Amino acid sequence: MSQSLNFRHAWIVFTKELSDTIRDRRTWWAMIILPIVIIPLMTLIGPRAAIKQIEDVRRTKSNVVVAGAERAPTLVQFLEASGQFNLVTADPATAIKDRQALAVVYVPADFEDRLRQEKPAQVRVAFDASDQKSSMVQEKVARILIAFSQATVTARLQARGYDPNLLTPLAINVENVAPKEQMGASFLGMILPMLMAMWSATGGLYAAIDVAAGEKERGTLEAILTVPVSRMSLAVGKYLVVVVSSLIAAAISLVGFAVAFKVSPVSMVPGQAATFSLTATQIGLIFLVALTLSAFFAAVELAVSSFARGFREAQTYLTPITFIVIIPWILTQFVSPADIPGWYYMVPVMNGMMAFKELVMGLVNPAHIRDTLVFSAIYVVVALRLAGRLFQRESVLFRS
Amino acid sequence: MVEVQGLTKRFNNLTAVDGVSFAARPGEIFGLLGENGAGKTTTLRVLATVLAPTSGDAVVNGFSVTREAQKVRASIGFVSSDAGLYDRLTARENVAYFGRLHGLPGPTLTKRIDVLFAWLDLKDAADRRVGKFSKGMKQKVCIARALVHDPPVMLLDEPTAGLDVTAIHAVDEFILRAKREGKTIIFSSHIMSEVEKLCDRVAIIHHGSIIAAGTMDELMAKRERFEDVFLRLIGGRHQ
Ligand SMILES: Nc1ncnc2c1ncn2[C@@H]1O[C@H](COP(=O)(O)OP(=O)(O)OP(=O)(O)O)[C@@H](O)[C@H]1O
Ligand SMILES: [Mg+2]
């Protein structure tokens, strides 16, 4: 049995499988609709809601209960003067639970006395830490209480004839020097590797199932095995269709993401002005890395799909792939590219994700790129060999 | 020409085909008659190079199935009863795919498909997707697909199973036309009357072995040697 690869045969198989795939509605769903819709939705709507909440708390007056308000007129007046709160009267014990207020300030009975005697007065702030809004209001209240405390100190120092600056030996200004590009890049470096891996994995999934397991299930495999075409040519033609589907999905998700980022950069990086730009070389390299991810997933998916008895079985084996990509992503999440051990670049998928992160952040490390490409190529060849071999094994072909 | 020599195929412990030998000549329809599980499909799959024999060999159109599989593949058209098609492709695309893989150049391929579709009465359906075709139409497309490269040897595994009378008639006509063209045809069935109708010579296969072979008349004469099998197969006449 000739096992050599015939490019003309592989091309015939490729074009046939491609037009067959394109006519499959499921492919369109996995390859084009999902990647272009889901990411913008996720990245635009999710953070939008969070931002809206922040803005809500920042802009409107929040309801706060002061328990024992009548005992602390000075403090109440100060809170009111800040213009940030509606001081409501409600049962302090249930106000937060009943959503009548977002925070409760407990003032002790001897508040004004202790203030006058220049002794510390215990003020307690209650809030609901499980509620983001309540937490934000608590911070607001705390800021005003600190301001009250400082105003009191200033008054006391002045009464004694001291300069209030005595207590501020340092004036501290914190400044974010990361350029806008880097803010954007750091965020993209986090999210893009996941995106690319996910769509490289899902984009070709249906094609992989269809061209191998599907061929068995439909009963066309036997016929195709009686034409004078080597199993390797068949496997390669089918493999290329899966790679192309994966790549298309990855590219489309990238486009959807770029559009979402352009439309609303703020919502992508909450609270920060971030922009993002890449050089042509970076884009080229990113494409190369995306290709290695797609090539790897396609080979694995085709191998698994040729092993499965039918559509349903292939689907059962392969669906977890889309979740499994989360594991290397999490592993790469909390390391900055500079601290990554070299062997990360030899682990499939992980190396692609790391290389992605580096490239997006503008760190082009030739050794890492080389390792990523070389090791990915090795994995692809191994997986493809396996897929090709499975096409030859009778026990796998007629496993029923 | 097909010559089978001591062909054996084992699946793990099960011997599906056990030392089968026979020969079929050009211009002849050779019947393989046997009950369910007798080993008909397995024999034809080995001839079609889909399965490798455990031992023995077969020479198809002068080529060995064990040593010259690719040349055997170029010489055969294999039609099975439960073969499938690509539902999202049209009838013409299904057949053309196989034609291209066989290396037929474009114009020759188009002409050949037109001829086959005319013989099989598929002309009107040629450019419709096969997904919604009736079983009979699908089977005709399978036949066109298997024979697109005009092979000298046809391996037909219960090609009319599950078809209605009209479709069976069309397929029978097609097979007889191929016989007149001088092709070597092996036709398997579990129904005696079908074999009787089409075949010049018949081999009865039972538990993987050939228990009798010859013309229909010769088999009738020797029937007492395998009475029980024969009676069951004759029963197939009334199915
Ligand atoms: N791939 C396989 N793996 C294991 N056993 C198999 C395989 N294919 C066939 N067999 C077994 O080999 C025997 C012969 O099967 P085969 O399909 O050749 O019979 P057949 O004459 O075509 O029967 P039918 O009339 O039902 O089509 C049966 O017992 C079958 O279960
Ligand atoms: Mg059978």
Side-chain angles (χ1 to χ4, degrees):
Chain A
M1 235 177 268
S2 156
Q3 289 324 319
S4 58
L5 172 60
N6 176 315
F7 284 104
R8 201 175 53 82
H9 288 161
W11 176 252
I12 293 169
V13 174
F14 170 76
T15 50
K16 179 266 162 189
E17 295 294 5
L18 192 65
S19 58
D20 204 348
T21 294
I22 285 170
R23 290 181 196 178
D24 185 356
R25 228 175 303 142
R26 276 170 313 204
T27 319
W28 281 84
W29 183 247
M31 198 168 79
I32 298 183
I33 314 281
L34 279 182
I36 202 142
V37 170
I38 277 200
I39 299 315
L41 276 190
M42 237 165 54
T43 44
L44 288 178
I45 292 179
R48 257 286 139 84
I51 288 165
K52 189 173 172 301
Q53 212 165 34
I54 295 171
E55 293 289 306
D56 270 1
V57 175
R58 195 177 286 163
R59 235 182 278 135
T60 59
K61 290 187 170 188
S62 323
N63 288 355
V64 170
V65 172
V66 180
E70 66 290 344
R71 300 189 296 254
T74 353
L75 182 63
V76 169
Q77 202 197 345
F78 196 88
L79 285 171
E80 253 164 7
S82 76
Q84 298 187 22
F85 310 105
N86 282 325
L87 299 183
V88 295
T89 37
D91 180 1
T94 56
I96 294 177
K97 206 173 78 203
D98 299 343
R99 306 291 289 165
Q100 288 168 298
L102 290 163
V104 176
V105 182
Y106 289 93
V107 185
D110 55 354
F111 180 83
E112 295 288 344
D113 284 343
R114 292 185 77 88
L115 214 58
R116 232 170 293 121
Q117 293 159 13
E118 302 192 344
K119 284 180 184 160
Q122 291 287 340
V123 176
R124 202 151 56 82
V125 182
F127 74 108
D128 177 356
S130 69
D131 174 8
Q132 215 191 346
K133 249 179 158 169
S134 175
S135 305
M136 279 157 50
V137 170
Q138 176 270 126
E139 282 166 21
K140 240 161 73 166
V141 170
R143 264 198 306 277
I144 300 300
L145 290 179
I146 289 167
F148 177 84
S149 185
Q150 270 164 356
T152 310
V153 169
T154 307
R156 285 175 188 171
L157 287 173
Q158 278 169 340
R160 286 171 174 78
Y162 292 118
D163 182 352
N165 280 337
L166 198 64
L167 289 183
T168 38
L170 296 180
I172 302 163
N173 277 321
V174 182
E175 202 180 331
N176 178 6
V177 296
K180 285 178 176 181
E181 280 81 12
Q182 206 163 315
M183 293 298 297
S186 139
F187 171 74
L188 289 182
M190 186 177 87
I191 207 86
L192 269 188
M194 179 65 193
L195 255 189
M196 297 313 288
M198 210 171 81
W199 293 115
S200 301
T202 13
L205 201 62
Y206 276 109
I209 294 174
D210 203 58
V211 300
E215 189 115 54
K216 259 185 245 186
E217 181 146 330
R218 281 186 301 259
T220 46
L221 183 62
E222 189 168 17
I224 201 81
L225 292 180
T226 63
V227 293
V229 169
S230 76
R231 299 338 190 215
M232 205 18 129
S233 306
L234 275 180
V236 167
K238 288 167 181 290
Y239 171 70
L240 289 179
V241 172
V242 184
V243 173
V244 166
S245 311
S246 297
L247 260 187
I248 291 177
I252 283 181
S253 76
L254 209 55
V255 169
F257 189 80
V259 168
F261 198 80
K262 265 262 143 48
V263 169
S264 173
V266 178
S267 66
M268 306 288 252
V269 192
Q272 305 282 350
T275 59
F276 168 64
S277 68
L278 289 171
T279 65
T281 322
Q282 272 173 311
I283 292 174
L285 286 172
I286 284 175
F287 185 77
L288 207 60
V289 174
L291 186 66
T292 66
L293 280 175
S294 297
F296 176 76
F297 281 119
V300 170
E301 286 168 3
L302 190 66
V304 172
S305 172
S306 356
F307 182 75
R309 283 186 193 89
F311 219 93
R312 193 68 62 82
E313 194 178 310
Q315 213 163 4
T316 310
Y317 293 156
L318 284 173
T319 310
I321 269 200
T322 43
F323 304 112
I324 287 171
V325 300
I326 292 177
I327 296 167
W329 183 69
I330 290 172
L331 287 177
T332 57
Q333 222 17 244
F334 303 104
V335 277
S336 92
D339 306 330
I340 287 168
W343 59 267
Y344 268 42
Y345 293 88
M346 302 173 189
V347 180
V349 184
M350 195 121 108
N351 56 10
M353 285 180 166
M354 286 317 307
F356 238 104
K357 193 166 173 166
E358 285 191 3
L359 289 172
V360 170
M361 295 182 77
L363 309 164
V364 181
N365 183 328
H368 289 172
I369 304 267
R370 184 203 59 213
D371 284 359
T372 301
L373 294 183
V374 167
F375 279 90
S376 298
I378 292 173
Y379 296 127
V380 168
V381 169
V382 170
L384 199 54
R385 273 278 151 97
L386 194 66
R389 174 154 313 167
L390 288 175
F391 266 99
Q392 292 161 24
R393 294 257 312 270
E394 317 188 327
S395 58
V396 171
L397 291 176
F398 299 102
R399 270 189 350 134
S400 48
Chain B
M1 186 77 184
V2 173
E3 288 175 86
V4 181
Q5 297 139 2
L7 202 68
T8 297
K9 178 66 188 178
R10 258 191 289 278
F11 297 108
N12 302 320
N13 295 323
L14 185 131
T15 306
V17 176
D18 194 358
V20 162
S21 301
F22 63 85
R25 291 182 290 264
E28 176 178 65
I29 303 179
F30 187 90
L32 264 184
L33 180 62
E35 300 172 294
N36 292 138
K40 307 180 293 291
T41 300
T42 306
T43 304
L44 290 177
R45 277 181 171 162
V46 172
L47 294 183
T49 74
V50 174
L51 296 178
T54 310
S55 65
D57 200 352
V59 177
V60 176
N61 194 33
F63 305 114
S64 152
V65 295
T66 52
R67 279 168 286 118
E68 297 160 298
Q70 295 294 37
K71 284 179 178 154
V72 171
R73 287 176 191 149
S75 315
I76 57 160
F78 180 41
V79 178
S80 64
S81 55
D82 55 356
L85 295 163
Y86 303 110
D87 286 351
R88 291 183 295 267
L89 300 189
T90 66
R92 182 181 290 279
E93 287 167 339
N94 265 284
V95 178
Y97 177 44
F98 280 68
R100 277 199 295 277
L101 288 175
H102 274 291
L104 296 189
T108 315
L109 181 57
T110 312
K111 243 183 276 163
R112 175 71 182 161
I113 292 176
D114 287 340
V115 168
L116 284 169
F117 280 10
W119 285 346
L120 288 162
D121 196 21
L122 278 173
K123 270 201 150 150
D124 298 333
D127 295 308
R128 294 210 324 258
R129 294 193 187 180
V130 300
K132 298 223 163 63
F133 278 17
S134 70
K135 190 165 191 317
M137 278 165 77
K138 281 185 178 170
Q139 187 65 359
K140 287 186 197 171
V141 177
C142 285
I143 291 172
R145 172 179 74 183
L147 305 176
V148 62
H149 53 305
D150 204 8
V153 175
M154 286 165 54
L155 307 171
L156 311 176
D157 189 19
E158 308 203 33
T160 53
L163 302 191
D164 67 17
V165 183
T166 325
I168 289 178
H169 183 73
V171 172
D172 285 353
E173 286 302 306
F174 186 86
I175 294 171
L176 290 169
R177 176 197 295 273
K179 171 191 154 110
R180 286 195 298 275
E181 287 176 358
K183 300 196 185 301
T184 309
I185 301 163
I186 298 181
F187 177 97
S188 92
S189 174
H190 63 276
I191 303 168
M192 168 96 60
S193 58
E194 272 210 322
V195 172
E196 212 171 359
K197 178 176 64 180
L198 287 172
C199 299
D200 304 295
R201 287 190 307 129
V202 181
I204 295 181
I205 183 166
H206 189 59
H207 290 319
S209 302
I210 290 185
I211 54 172
T215 62
M216 217 57 211
D217 292 339
E218 288 166 359
L219 289 181
M220 285 294 190
K222 300 190 266 187
R223 57 191 282 185
E224 57 284 352
R225 278 179 32 211
F226 41 92
E227 192 71 56
D228 51 334
V229 184
F230 204 73
L231 280 177
R232 285 203 297 271
L233 287 168
I234 287 188
R237 196 197 285 269
H238 309 294
Q239 276 180 6

